[in-house]
Amino acid sequence: MALRAPKRLLREFLCKRCISIPAGGGVRRCSSLPQPPPKIPHFSRKGRLLTGATIGLVIAGGAYVSTVDEATVCGWLFNATKLVNPFFALLDAEVAHTLAVSAASRGWVPREKRHDPSILGLEVWGRKFSNPVGLAAGFDKNAEAVEGLLGLGFGFVEVGSVTPVPQDGNPKPRIFRLREEGAIINRCGFNSEGIVAVAKRLGAQHGKRKLDETSSTSPASSNDIKHGGKAGPGILGVNLGKNKTSEDAAADYVQGVHTLSQYADYLVINVSSPNTPGLRMLQGRKQLKDLVKKIQAARDEMQWGEEGPPPLLVKIAPDLSKEDLEDIAAVALTLRLDGLIISNTTISRPDPVRGNPVAEESGGLSGKPLFNLSTDILREMYILTRGKIPLIGCGGISSGEDAYKKVRAGATLVQLYTGFAYGGPALIPQIKAELAKCLERDGFKSILEAVGADHR
């Protein structure tokens, strides 16, 4: 029998599915068998160096950041917010405002970890403030972002104005920028979700605060100064307004007191917005006296613990005559009002705003052009009340020097709004640092020593 060729014998012996030997020679591997690993591409020496350098920089950067103190990192984060300001400037004013409140409510803002200069600490109404710089009402109207805003380093935050019944406010557009003048005109008209919605938010926040206090495993030393109030690390004010269609203003404010005062470190009666018809008429001597007496009675009839009821303040307009101011001062002293906020927005158009076409829009003007007018009213009211009532200076503050001028004119505390809208979070530590330097420069040991210094 003839011998078969070796190739042929091998083909018959091997599984046809696995390995076959083509007639032309060589071996063809079956696709069902494991395939050899793919060839790894060869990186050039330049590519390997670049990759190694990138990894090294990441590791080195992470190691550096881990060794940097918390205060430095905090400063970086606040300064980084300056990069976002141009983006907000491109948006419609009210859209930008809504986004800013939303960001703060979600914690998408830096949190101040640095201690305030001790020279800025003070006590007012039995409440301890770590610094006198606050956020005015109008920014967080519905108490959506209290925790985030206090976390920015404000000494206090004022929410509202809150109306008893929800209302949309005036038609849009209703907020107008005058960027070159550092000013804003608004005619929002107390747009509010109402006291029920605000009470739910503040109640939840208050409960969380109490839970954190009771669950704390490291009780503070009796020698420690505890700053803060019912909402967290800072003091919370609630600004009350009346509904546009309401015929009984006192009833609206009393309803706000009954519902919201338990969550507030202080309450504000807003009778000075120019965007609610007839509201400013409540600043008259008789009208204001009757209103304050009813609101004080409503507050005092409620049950309070050892800390007592929240202080009651009135926010007044800058567009008042000397006689108007004398009447308000007399009411404040007679009824022992706890404080005055000076001032709200103005319906006037002082220089250099007068030449801007946007100045023709109706509404209240805030920002830098309001500074002199509101400070003059503040100075006059300090004299009329003989320094016996704490005053909050508000209007046109955009620097530590501005805040210092308000303090010397008679303000115990100060508030921002428009300056914050333009400057963003980075403005807050800047103002506090500048204010501390102003106090030290003039030889004051504390902020309280400087209050009303221009009158001595």
Side-chain angles (χ1 to χ4, degrees):
M1 183 177 63
L3 294 175
R4 296 176 181 177
K7 275 186 188 178
R8 184 178 175 186
L9 289 173
L10 190 57
R11 286 196 202 101
E12 293 177 354
F13 178 75
L14 295 174
C15 171
K16 293 180 181 180
R17 291 185 57 209
C18 295
I19 299 177
S20 61
I21 302 177
V27 177
R28 183 168 60 244
R29 180 175 293 271
C30 175
S31 60
S32 65
L33 292 178
Q35 300 298 310
K39 290 183 179 181
I40 300 175
H42 176 71
F43 285 105
S44 66
R45 184 171 181 272
K46 184 178 180 180
R48 291 197 302 271
L49 288 174
L50 181 61
T51 302
T54 302
I55 295 173
L57 285 173
V58 171
I59 295 174
Y64 174 71
V65 169
S66 67
T67 61
V68 173
D69 62 281
E70 194 174 52
T72 302
V73 175
C74 189
W76 290 345
L77 293 175
F78 272 88
N79 286 328
T81 63
K82 295 177 181 178
L83 302 176
V84 184
N85 289 349
F87 166 74
F88 279 89
L90 297 174
L91 303 174
D92 170 79
E94 189 155 358
V95 171
H97 173 250
T98 301
L99 286 176
V101 173
S102 180
S105 69
R106 288 168 169 76
W108 297 345
V109 291
R111 191 168 186 85
E112 184 59 82
K113 301 290 186 180
R114 298 162 291 187
H115 291 293
D116 289 330
S118 59
I119 197 171
L120 297 182
L122 71 164
E123 183 174 334
V124 191
W125 310 307
R127 277 81 172 157
K128 296 185 185 298
F129 293 72
S130 63
N131 71 78
V133 182
L135 179 62
F139 187 86
D140 187 9
K141 292 178 180 289
N142 299 303
E144 299 173 76
V146 174
E147 187 174 355
L149 293 171
L150 285 173
L152 286 171
F154 284 111
F156 62 109
V157 166
E158 188 176 311
V159 300
S161 293
V162 187
T163 58
V165 179
Q167 63 180 29
D168 294 330
N170 293 322
K172 299 178 182 179
R174 54 194 180 185
I175 303 177
F176 308 90
R177 297 188 183 102
L178 297 88
R179 185 170 300 281
E180 292 182 1
E181 292 81 7
I184 289 175
I185 292 175
N186 94 84
R187 52 170 180 262
C188 291
F190 283 173
N191 50 311
S192 172
E193 293 181 10
I195 57 176
V196 173
V198 172
K200 286 181 179 178
R201 291 194 183 102
L202 293 181
Q205 203 168 60
H206 184 65
K208 180 178 179 293
R209 168 78 163 168
K210 288 295 183 183
L211 182 63
D212 291 343
E213 289 177 353
T214 55
S215 62
S216 177
T217 57
S218 55
S221 167
S222 59
N223 295 325
D224 290 342
I225 298 176
K226 180 184 176 183
H227 300 106
K230 295 182 179 179
I235 301 297
L236 175 66
V238 176
N239 187 300
L240 304 175
K242 68 175 285 290
N243 282 110
K244 182 177 182 179
T245 58
S246 175
E247 296 181 358
D248 190 345
D252 279 15
Y253 290 111
V254 166
Q255 189 175 351
V257 168
H258 284 160
T259 308
L260 299 174
S261 59
Q262 59 185 315
Y263 308 120
D265 292 305
Y266 71 88
L267 293 168
V268 180
I269 307 170
N270 187 350
V271 291
S272 53
S273 171
N275 303 313
T276 297
L279 185 68
R280 288 191 169 191
M281 293 176 62
L282 297 173
Q283 295 175 111
R285 185 170 189 150
K286 183 181 185 306
Q287 296 92 327
L288 184 61
K289 186 175 182 179
D290 291 344
L291 180 66
V292 171
K293 287 175 71 174
K294 290 177 181 178
I295 297 172
Q296 285 179 330
R299 178 198 62 175
D300 296 342
E301 71 185 11
M302 299 174 68
Q303 293 184 348
W304 300 101
E306 293 182 0
E307 62 182 7
L312 187 65
L313 290 73
V314 171
K315 187 169 186 174
I316 67 174
D319 310 306
L320 296 170
S321 66
K322 179 69 178 294
E323 185 179 356
D324 292 331
L325 294 176
E326 291 173 348
D327 287 344
I328 292 172
V331 171
L333 291 171
T334 301
L335 298 183
R336 296 183 179 179
L337 203 60
D338 296 298
L340 294 167
I341 299 180
I342 306 166
S343 67
N344 212 317
T345 58
T346 179
I347 58 174
S348 68
R349 298 294 184 260
D351 289 330
V353 167
R354 192 176 293 116
N356 192 314
V358 181
E360 297 180 5
E361 295 286 349
S362 63
L365 174 74
S366 62
K368 291 181 179 180
L370 177 60
F371 181 82
N372 290 334
L373 177 60
S374 61
T375 305
D376 289 343
I377 298 293
L378 169 68
R379 185 176 289 108
E380 186 66 26
M381 189 57 73
Y382 182 84
I383 294 172
L384 291 172
T385 57
R386 303 187 292 278
K388 293 183 177 181
I389 297 175
L391 306 178
I392 298 180
C394 181
I397 296 175
S398 59
S399 69
E401 189 69 40
D402 291 340
Y404 183 56
K405 289 177 181 178
K406 295 278 190 185
V407 171
R408 292 187 63 99
T412 302
L413 303 167
V414 296
Q415 286 181 325
L416 316 177
Y417 184 168
T418 303
F420 176 61
Y422 281 122
L427 183 65
I428 307 166
Q430 174 189 325
I431 286 181
K432 291 190 293 186
E434 290 174 355
L435 178 56
K437 288 182 180 178
C438 289
L439 292 168
E440 293 168 354
R441 178 193 67 202
D442 291 349
F444 293 110
K445 304 293 186 192
S446 70
I447 185 77
L448 287 176
E449 287 185 8
V451 175
D454 287 346
H455 305 282
R456 296 195 288 269

